[in-house]
Amino acid sequence: MAVLQSPVKEKFESLVAQSDEQFENGNHKESISLLEEAWDLIPEPKGIYSVQSYGLVKDIIDTYFITKDFEKAKEWADRIFLTGFNRIDSGEKEFTSGKVAFELGDLEVAKEFFSIANRKSEGRCFGSPKAIKYLKFFKS
């Protein structure tokens, strides 16, 4: 697994820390902007930097969910498959993409992503209380 090298690593970590601070203060747009800047620091292919690339994209998508900007979340959901090459594939990427598709009203695509996530995770992807509405939809 590749690791970011100095000074890129320090700049990346600084941006993420600044983003966390902005997020805690309710400045979600500024938080996302800092995360997007950190994304640009990760060398290509970004997916070999599994820890940084996956977590960063997941945080961006989660924050777009808070701001209910599902169009932007979709842009990042498309990128999530370019991340975390060395992660155990438990269907999290498909579950995230399914949630985005669901929120955008693209129910056929959502059901397909949820089906893959369900199979890969053996149903665990629907285990959190926040996932109830997606589980109800998937089972319908």
Side-chain angles (χ1 to χ4, degrees):
M1 175 173 21
V3 288
L4 292 176
Q5 301 299 308
S6 298
V8 171
K9 181 178 188 236
E10 286 80 10
K11 178 69 175 159
F12 178 89
E13 290 172 351
S14 172
L15 288 168
V16 170
Q18 291 173 56
S19 169
D20 290 347
E21 188 176 314
Q22 291 298 321
F23 182 89
E24 291 300 319
N25 292 327
N27 301 324
H28 298 119
K29 287 184 195 258
E30 183 60 27
S31 173
I32 290 170
S33 179
L34 290 161
L35 291 176
E36 289 175 342
E37 195 177 331
W39 171 259
D40 290 338
L41 290 176
I42 303 172
E44 295 291 343
K46 295 180 187 301
I48 66 172
Y49 302 92
S50 291
V51 173
Q52 293 88 357
S53 64
Y54 176 80
L56 194 74
V57 171
K58 186 83 172 70
D59 287 349
I60 291 170
I61 294 168
D62 290 347
T63 306
Y64 276 128
F65 262 70
I66 291 169
T67 64
K68 303 215 180 301
D69 189 343
F70 300 115
E71 291 294 333
K72 284 287 196 182
K74 167 87 170 78
E75 290 176 24
W76 285 94
D78 291 345
R79 292 184 196 172
I80 204 165
F81 295 98
L82 304 174
T83 70
F85 294 166
N86 295 325
R87 289 174 46 84
I88 293 171
D89 190 357
S90 60
E92 289 179 53
K93 294 175 184 180
E94 289 84 1
F95 186 70
T96 297
S97 294
K99 290 186 339 185
V100 171
F102 176 87
E103 298 299 340
L104 287 170
D106 197 344
L107 302 183
E108 193 174 313
V109 170
K111 197 156 260 202
E112 187 62 34
F113 274 127
F114 287 150
S115 177
I116 295 166
N118 185 56
R119 185 179 81 256
K120 286 183 175 181
S121 73
E122 298 177 340
R124 288 186 299 277
C125 63
F126 293 106
S128 84
K130 291 180 180 178
I132 298 291
K133 75 176 178 179
Y134 305 117
L135 178 62
K136 286 181 179 174
F137 162 73
F138 179 63
K139 295 290 185 188
S140 66

PDB file of all heavy atoms in Angstrom, residues 95 99 102-103 114 123-140:
ATOM      1  N   PHE A  95     -22.815   0.689  -1.828  1.00  0.00           N
ATOM      2  CA  PHE A  95     -23.858   1.179  -0.931  1.00  0.00           C
ATOM      3  C   PHE A  95     -23.923   2.700  -0.973  1.00  0.00           C
ATOM      4  O   PHE A  95     -25.005   3.283  -1.084  1.00  0.00           O
ATOM      5  CB  PHE A  95     -23.627   0.688   0.504  1.00  0.00           C
ATOM      6  CG  PHE A  95     -24.760   1.040   1.427  1.00  0.00           C
ATOM      7  CD1 PHE A  95     -25.990   0.410   1.302  1.00  0.00           C
ATOM      8  CD2 PHE A  95     -24.597   1.997   2.404  1.00  0.00           C
ATOM      9  CE1 PHE A  95     -27.053   0.737   2.144  1.00  0.00           C
ATOM     10  CE2 PHE A  95     -25.648   2.332   3.252  1.00  0.00           C
ATOM     11  CZ  PHE A  95     -26.878   1.704   3.121  1.00  0.00           C
ATOM     12  N   LYS A  99     -27.076   4.953  -2.268  1.00  0.00           N
ATOM     13  CA  LYS A  99     -27.723   6.017  -1.488  1.00  0.00           C
ATOM     14  C   LYS A  99     -27.845   7.289  -2.312  1.00  0.00           C
ATOM     15  O   LYS A  99     -28.889   7.947  -2.313  1.00  0.00           O
ATOM     16  CB  LYS A  99     -26.939   6.312  -0.206  1.00  0.00           C
ATOM     17  CG  LYS A  99     -26.998   5.218   0.816  1.00  0.00           C
ATOM     18  CD  LYS A  99     -26.351   5.542   2.162  1.00  0.00           C
ATOM     19  CE  LYS A  99     -25.355   6.634   2.208  1.00  0.00           C
ATOM     20  NZ  LYS A  99     -24.698   6.818   3.510  1.00  0.00           N
ATOM     21  N   PHE A 102     -30.480   6.813  -4.981  1.00  0.00           N
ATOM     22  CA  PHE A 102     -31.794   6.856  -4.333  1.00  0.00           C
ATOM     23  C   PHE A 102     -32.222   8.303  -4.080  1.00  0.00           C
ATOM     24  O   PHE A 102     -33.352   8.698  -4.406  1.00  0.00           O
ATOM     25  CB  PHE A 102     -31.758   6.084  -3.006  1.00  0.00           C
ATOM     26  CG  PHE A 102     -33.041   6.146  -2.233  1.00  0.00           C
ATOM     27  CD1 PHE A 102     -34.054   5.226  -2.472  1.00  0.00           C
ATOM     28  CD2 PHE A 102     -33.241   7.125  -1.271  1.00  0.00           C
ATOM     29  CE1 PHE A 102     -35.253   5.287  -1.762  1.00  0.00           C
ATOM     30  CE2 PHE A 102     -34.433   7.197  -0.555  1.00  0.00           C
ATOM     31  CZ  PHE A 102     -35.437   6.276  -0.805  1.00  0.00           C
ATOM     32  N   GLU A 103     -31.337   9.094  -3.505  1.00  0.00           N
ATOM     33  CA  GLU A 103     -31.664  10.482  -3.177  1.00  0.00           C
ATOM     34  C   GLU A 103     -31.921  11.324  -4.428  1.00  0.00           C
ATOM     35  O   GLU A 103     -32.667  12.294  -4.384  1.00  0.00           O
ATOM     36  CB  GLU A 103     -30.574  11.118  -2.316  1.00  0.00           C
ATOM     37  CG  GLU A 103     -30.375  10.454  -0.965  1.00  0.00           C
ATOM     38  CD  GLU A 103     -31.598  10.476  -0.052  1.00  0.00           C
ATOM     39  OE1 GLU A 103     -32.507  11.308  -0.261  1.00  0.00           O
ATOM     40  OE2 GLU A 103     -31.660   9.652   0.882  1.00  0.00           O
ATOM     41  N   PHE A 114     -27.572  -1.295  -4.523  1.00  0.00           N
ATOM     42  CA  PHE A 114     -27.906  -1.919  -3.238  1.00  0.00           C
ATOM     43  C   PHE A 114     -27.828  -3.443  -3.322  1.00  0.00           C
ATOM     44  O   PHE A 114     -27.416  -4.098  -2.370  1.00  0.00           O
ATOM     45  CB  PHE A 114     -29.297  -1.496  -2.755  1.00  0.00           C
ATOM     46  CG  PHE A 114     -29.373  -0.078  -2.247  1.00  0.00           C
ATOM     47  CD1 PHE A 114     -30.543   0.644  -2.365  1.00  0.00           C
ATOM     48  CD2 PHE A 114     -28.288   0.537  -1.639  1.00  0.00           C
ATOM     49  CE1 PHE A 114     -30.634   1.949  -1.883  1.00  0.00           C
ATOM     50  CE2 PHE A 114     -28.360   1.841  -1.162  1.00  0.00           C
ATOM     51  CZ  PHE A 114     -29.540   2.548  -1.288  1.00  0.00           C
ATOM     52  N   GLY A 123     -25.487  -8.391   3.669  1.00  0.00           N
ATOM     53  CA  GLY A 123     -26.568  -7.668   4.342  1.00  0.00           C
ATOM     54  C   GLY A 123     -26.118  -6.661   5.378  1.00  0.00           C
ATOM     55  O   GLY A 123     -26.914  -5.853   5.846  1.00  0.00           O
ATOM     56  N   ARG A 124     -24.836  -6.688   5.760  1.00  0.00           N
ATOM     57  CA  ARG A 124     -24.357  -5.790   6.817  1.00  0.00           C
ATOM     58  C   ARG A 124     -24.430  -4.317   6.435  1.00  0.00           C
ATOM     59  O   ARG A 124     -24.507  -3.455   7.309  1.00  0.00           O
ATOM     60  CB  ARG A 124     -22.930  -6.155   7.221  1.00  0.00           C
ATOM     61  CG  ARG A 124     -22.851  -7.448   8.021  1.00  0.00           C
ATOM     62  CD  ARG A 124     -21.447  -7.722   8.532  1.00  0.00           C
ATOM     63  NE  ARG A 124     -20.460  -7.878   7.467  1.00  0.00           N
ATOM     64  CZ  ARG A 124     -20.247  -9.005   6.795  1.00  0.00           C
ATOM     65  NH1 ARG A 124     -20.948 -10.084   7.064  1.00  0.00           N
ATOM     66  NH2 ARG A 124     -19.331  -9.060   5.847  1.00  0.00           N
ATOM     67  N   CYS A 125     -24.422  -4.005   5.140  1.00  0.00           N
ATOM     68  CA  CYS A 125     -24.452  -2.604   4.718  1.00  0.00           C
ATOM     69  C   CYS A 125     -25.732  -1.898   5.177  1.00  0.00           C
ATOM     70  O   CYS A 125     -25.748  -0.685   5.332  1.00  0.00           O
ATOM     71  CB  CYS A 125     -24.293  -2.489   3.203  1.00  0.00           C
ATOM     72  SG  CYS A 125     -25.610  -3.241   2.244  1.00  0.00           S
ATOM     73  N   PHE A 126     -26.784  -2.664   5.419  1.00  0.00           N
ATOM     74  CA  PHE A 126     -28.057  -2.086   5.851  1.00  0.00           C
ATOM     75  C   PHE A 126     -28.206  -2.089   7.371  1.00  0.00           C
ATOM     76  O   PHE A 126     -29.293  -1.871   7.890  1.00  0.00           O
ATOM     77  CB  PHE A 126     -29.230  -2.858   5.223  1.00  0.00           C
ATOM     78  CG  PHE A 126     -29.320  -2.707   3.741  1.00  0.00           C
ATOM     79  CD1 PHE A 126     -28.953  -3.754   2.902  1.00  0.00           C
ATOM     80  CD2 PHE A 126     -29.777  -1.534   3.165  1.00  0.00           C
ATOM     81  CE1 PHE A 126     -29.041  -3.632   1.518  1.00  0.00           C
ATOM     82  CE2 PHE A 126     -29.866  -1.395   1.786  1.00  0.00           C
ATOM     83  CZ  PHE A 126     -29.498  -2.443   0.965  1.00  0.00           C
ATOM     84  N   GLY A 127     -27.119  -2.323   8.109  1.00  0.00           N
ATOM     85  CA  GLY A 127     -27.189  -2.530   9.551  1.00  0.00           C
ATOM     86  C   GLY A 127     -27.348  -1.295  10.420  1.00  0.00           C
ATOM     87  O   GLY A 127     -27.745  -1.418  11.564  1.00  0.00           O
ATOM     88  N   SER A 128     -27.035  -0.117   9.909  1.00  0.00           N
ATOM     89  CA  SER A 128     -27.119   1.066  10.775  1.00  0.00           C
ATOM     90  C   SER A 128     -28.533   1.647  10.751  1.00  0.00           C
ATOM     91  O   SER A 128     -29.260   1.491   9.769  1.00  0.00           O
ATOM     92  CB  SER A 128     -26.117   2.129  10.327  1.00  0.00           C
ATOM     93  OG  SER A 128     -26.649   2.917   9.289  1.00  0.00           O
ATOM     94  N   PRO A 129     -28.903   2.348  11.826  1.00  0.00           N
ATOM     95  CA  PRO A 129     -30.241   2.971  11.865  1.00  0.00           C
ATOM     96  C   PRO A 129     -30.473   3.953  10.706  1.00  0.00           C
ATOM     97  O   PRO A 129     -31.593   4.090  10.228  1.00  0.00           O
ATOM     98  CB  PRO A 129     -30.248   3.706  13.211  1.00  0.00           C
ATOM     99  CG  PRO A 129     -29.238   2.999  14.045  1.00  0.00           C
ATOM    100  CD  PRO A 129     -28.189   2.495  13.090  1.00  0.00           C
ATOM    101  N   LYS A 130     -29.400   4.602  10.247  1.00  0.00           N
ATOM    102  CA  LYS A 130     -29.522   5.553   9.129  1.00  0.00           C
ATOM    103  C   LYS A 130     -29.847   4.848   7.815  1.00  0.00           C
ATOM    104  O   LYS A 130     -30.270   5.488   6.856  1.00  0.00           O
ATOM    105  CB  LYS A 130     -28.232   6.354   8.967  1.00  0.00           C
ATOM    106  CG  LYS A 130     -27.966   7.318  10.086  1.00  0.00           C
ATOM    107  CD  LYS A 130     -26.679   8.067   9.831  1.00  0.00           C
ATOM    108  CE  LYS A 130     -26.382   9.054  10.932  1.00  0.00           C
ATOM    109  NZ  LYS A 130     -25.118   9.746  10.733  1.00  0.00           N
ATOM    110  N   ALA A 131     -29.647   3.542   7.765  1.00  0.00           N
ATOM    111  CA  ALA A 131     -29.850   2.789   6.521  1.00  0.00           C
ATOM    112  C   ALA A 131     -31.256   2.220   6.392  1.00  0.00           C
ATOM    113  O   ALA A 131     -31.581   1.614   5.373  1.00  0.00           O
ATOM    114  CB  ALA A 131     -28.825   1.665   6.421  1.00  0.00           C
ATOM    115  N   ILE A 132     -32.100   2.427   7.375  1.00  0.00           N
ATOM    116  CA  ILE A 132     -33.439   1.818   7.387  1.00  0.00           C
ATOM    117  C   ILE A 132     -34.240   2.165   6.134  1.00  0.00           C
ATOM    118  O   ILE A 132     -34.833   1.282   5.513  1.00  0.00           O
ATOM    119  CB  ILE A 132     -34.232   2.240   8.652  1.00  0.00           C
ATOM    120  CG1 ILE A 132     -33.531   1.748   9.918  1.00  0.00           C
ATOM    121  CG2 ILE A 132     -35.671   1.755   8.592  1.00  0.00           C
ATOM    122  CD1 ILE A 132     -33.539   0.261  10.123  1.00  0.00           C
ATOM    123  N   LYS A 133     -34.255   3.450   5.750  1.00  0.00           N
ATOM    124  CA  LYS A 133     -35.064   3.820   4.577  1.00  0.00           C
ATOM    125  C   LYS A 133     -34.554   3.154   3.305  1.00  0.00           C
ATOM    126  O   LYS A 133     -35.333   2.792   2.439  1.00  0.00           O
ATOM    127  CB  LYS A 133     -35.178   5.332   4.421  1.00  0.00           C
ATOM    128  CG  LYS A 133     -33.962   6.053   3.912  1.00  0.00           C
ATOM    129  CD  LYS A 133     -34.273   7.533   3.709  1.00  0.00           C
ATOM    130  CE  LYS A 133     -33.092   8.320   3.246  1.00  0.00           C
ATOM    131  NZ  LYS A 133     -33.408   9.723   3.043  1.00  0.00           N
ATOM    132  N   TYR A 134     -33.227   2.943   3.231  1.00  0.00           N
ATOM    133  CA  TYR A 134     -32.664   2.283   2.052  1.00  0.00           C
ATOM    134  C   TYR A 134     -33.004   0.798   2.067  1.00  0.00           C
ATOM    135  O   TYR A 134     -33.284   0.218   1.011  1.00  0.00           O
ATOM    136  CB  TYR A 134     -31.150   2.518   1.985  1.00  0.00           C
ATOM    137  CG  TYR A 134     -30.793   3.994   2.016  1.00  0.00           C
ATOM    138  CD1 TYR A 134     -30.045   4.526   3.051  1.00  0.00           C
ATOM    139  CD2 TYR A 134     -31.228   4.860   1.015  1.00  0.00           C
ATOM    140  CE1 TYR A 134     -29.732   5.876   3.100  1.00  0.00           C
ATOM    141  CE2 TYR A 134     -30.918   6.206   1.044  1.00  0.00           C
ATOM    142  CZ  TYR A 134     -30.173   6.706   2.088  1.00  0.00           C
ATOM    143  OH  TYR A 134     -29.871   8.041   2.122  1.00  0.00           O
ATOM    144  N   LEU A 135     -32.981   0.196   3.235  1.00  0.00           N
ATOM    145  CA  LEU A 135     -33.356  -1.220   3.361  1.00  0.00           C
ATOM    146  C   LEU A 135     -34.818  -1.418   2.983  1.00  0.00           C
ATOM    147  O   LEU A 135     -35.156  -2.345   2.231  1.00  0.00           O
ATOM    148  CB  LEU A 135     -33.091  -1.719   4.777  1.00  0.00           C
ATOM    149  CG  LEU A 135     -33.501  -3.177   5.039  1.00  0.00           C
ATOM    150  CD1 LEU A 135     -32.712  -4.132   4.142  1.00  0.00           C
ATOM    151  CD2 LEU A 135     -33.294  -3.531   6.509  1.00  0.00           C
ATOM    152  N   LYS A 136     -35.701  -0.552   3.475  1.00  0.00           N
ATOM    153  CA  LYS A 136     -37.124  -0.651   3.138  1.00  0.00           C
ATOM    154  C   LYS A 136     -37.335  -0.559   1.629  1.00  0.00           C
ATOM    155  O   LYS A 136     -38.099  -1.324   1.049  1.00  0.00           O
ATOM    156  CB  LYS A 136     -37.936   0.440   3.855  1.00  0.00           C
ATOM    157  CG  LYS A 136     -38.125   0.185   5.315  1.00  0.00           C
ATOM    158  CD  LYS A 136     -38.963   1.289   5.961  1.00  0.00           C
ATOM    159  CE  LYS A 136     -39.168   1.021   7.433  1.00  0.00           C
ATOM    160  NZ  LYS A 136     -39.841   2.126   8.108  1.00  0.00           N
ATOM    161  N   PHE A 137     -36.640   0.397   1.012  1.00  0.00           N
ATOM    162  CA  PHE A 137     -36.725   0.529  -0.444  1.00  0.00           C
ATOM    163  C   PHE A 137     -36.199  -0.726  -1.137  1.00  0.00           C
ATOM    164  O   PHE A 137     -36.840  -1.260  -2.040  1.00  0.00           O
ATOM    165  CB  PHE A 137     -35.930   1.761  -0.910  1.00  0.00           C
ATOM    166  CG  PHE A 137     -35.608   1.727  -2.383  1.00  0.00           C
ATOM    167  CD1 PHE A 137     -36.618   1.957  -3.316  1.00  0.00           C
ATOM    168  CD2 PHE A 137     -34.340   1.426  -2.831  1.00  0.00           C
ATOM    169  CE1 PHE A 137     -36.323   1.890  -4.683  1.00  0.00           C
ATOM    170  CE2 PHE A 137     -34.051   1.352  -4.183  1.00  0.00           C
ATOM    171  CZ  PHE A 137     -35.045   1.602  -5.110  1.00  0.00           C
ATOM    172  N   PHE A 138     -35.039  -1.216  -0.696  1.00  0.00           N
ATOM    173  CA  PHE A 138     -34.418  -2.378  -1.332  1.00  0.00           C
ATOM    174  C   PHE A 138     -35.309  -3.603  -1.229  1.00  0.00           C
ATOM    175  O   PHE A 138     -35.417  -4.381  -2.174  1.00  0.00           O
ATOM    176  CB  PHE A 138     -33.051  -2.641  -0.695  1.00  0.00           C
ATOM    177  CG  PHE A 138     -32.336  -3.833  -1.266  1.00  0.00           C
ATOM    178  CD1 PHE A 138     -31.948  -3.855  -2.593  1.00  0.00           C
ATOM    179  CD2 PHE A 138     -32.062  -4.937  -0.475  1.00  0.00           C
ATOM    180  CE1 PHE A 138     -31.286  -4.955  -3.123  1.00  0.00           C
ATOM    181  CE2 PHE A 138     -31.395  -6.039  -0.990  1.00  0.00           C
ATOM    182  CZ  PHE A 138     -31.016  -6.049  -2.319  1.00  0.00           C
ATOM    183  N   LYS A 139     -35.961  -3.787  -0.097  1.00  0.00           N
ATOM    184  CA  LYS A 139     -36.814  -4.952   0.104  1.00  0.00           C
ATOM    185  C   LYS A 139     -38.175  -4.817  -0.578  1.00  0.00           C
ATOM    186  O   LYS A 139     -38.891  -5.806  -0.711  1.00  0.00           O
ATOM    187  CB  LYS A 139     -37.042  -5.184   1.619  1.00  0.00           C
ATOM    188  CG  LYS A 139     -35.782  -5.542   2.377  1.00  0.00           C
ATOM    189  CD  LYS A 139     -35.294  -6.911   2.016  1.00  0.00           C
ATOM    190  CE  LYS A 139     -34.104  -7.309   2.861  1.00  0.00           C
ATOM    191  NZ  LYS A 139     -33.487  -8.541   2.437  1.00  0.00           N
ATOM    192  N   SER A 140     -38.516  -3.598  -1.016  1.00  0.00           N
ATOM    193  CA  SER A 140     -39.855  -3.392  -1.633  1.00  0.00           C
ATOM    194  C   SER A 140     -39.941  -3.943  -3.047  1.00  0.00           C
ATOM    195  O   SER A 140     -38.968  -4.182  -3.701  1.00  0.00           O
ATOM    196  CB  SER A 140     -40.192  -1.907  -1.657  1.00  0.00           C
ATOM    197  OG  SER A 140     -39.330  -1.203  -2.510  1.00  0.00           O
TER     198      SER A 140
END
